[in-house]
Amino acid sequence: MLDDVLGPSLDVLFCGINPGLMSEATGHHFARPGNRFWPALHLSGFTPRLLAPAEQHLLPSYGLGITNIVPRASAKAAELTGQELVAGGEALAAKVAALGPKVLAVLGISAYRTAFARPKAVIGPQPETVGGARVWVLPNPSGLNAHWTVATIAEEMGRLRSSLTVE
């Protein structure tokens, strides 16, 4: 099981769908070289430089954390069942309520729709909260999600980042 990256007073808790096999093996979130999370995070302005997955421990110093909807690792998120996603969503809501981040940023629209029974949700800010936190759905940064580039994922992360300054 991959440990969460957490800290006190988080601005944003990023939430992946589930760990990939490389993340599980290395103990680092978004560890596969083709994953666009770390480059997009930097390009969006959340971090002052590009961090390597092995530097994930630095995230709380920027007010950021990482968790997953489902803790079970798999080669592809498509291997998860709807029941796993729903159960993961319930556990995530409890975790968010306990941690109190300002925003829960879910990285994957399809997983969000299933986990939280929001079939019409779209990328961006959501009208509901989860565990008391505002919710923002971001594109899945996996290299398998070819519809989104590093630049467009970073742009959406940048929209989220800008929303934090206008609270």
Side-chain angles (χ1 to χ4, degrees):
M1 188 163 129
L2 186 62
D3 290 336
D4 291 339
V5 176
L6 303 173
S9 305
L10 295 178
D11 291 322
V12 180
L13 178 60
F14 289 98
C15 182
I17 300 167
N18 73 310
L21 299 177
M22 184 168 284
S23 290
E24 180 82 0
T26 64
H28 303 121
H29 292 267
F30 306 106
R32 183 163 292 287
N35 193 291
R36 284 94 43 100
F37 176 79
W38 297 104
L41 191 70
H42 171 60
L43 288 172
S44 69
F46 271 115
T47 60
R49 65 175 177 83
L50 176 60
L51 299 177
E55 296 178 295
Q56 67 186 17
H57 64 278
L58 298 174
L59 289 178
S61 69
Y62 303 120
L64 308 173
I66 304 178
T67 190
N68 287 290
I69 297 173
V70 175
R72 179 174 71 85
S74 66
K76 297 177 184 173
E79 296 173 22
L80 301 175
T81 67
Q83 292 89 346
E84 283 180 293
L85 289 166
V86 170
E90 292 169 359
L92 179 60
K95 184 181 295 185
V96 170
L99 289 170
K102 291 179 186 172
V103 178
L104 172 66
V106 179
L107 296 146
I109 188 69
S110 296
Y112 176 78
R113 288 173 177 159
T114 301
F116 295 99
R118 301 285 186 228
K120 297 186 185 306
V122 297
I123 296 290
Q126 305 302 304
E128 63 274 350
T129 61
V130 169
R134 291 191 301 126
V135 178
W136 198 291
V137 177
L138 295 166
N140 182 341
S142 167
L144 298 174
N145 185 8
H147 299 296
W148 290 83
T149 65
V150 170
T152 56
I153 295 168
E155 184 178 320
E156 194 58 38
M157 283 183 173
R159 286 183 57 217
L160 164 58
R161 185 172 165 266
S162 294
S163 79
L164 294 171
T165 61
V166 296
E167 286 185 341

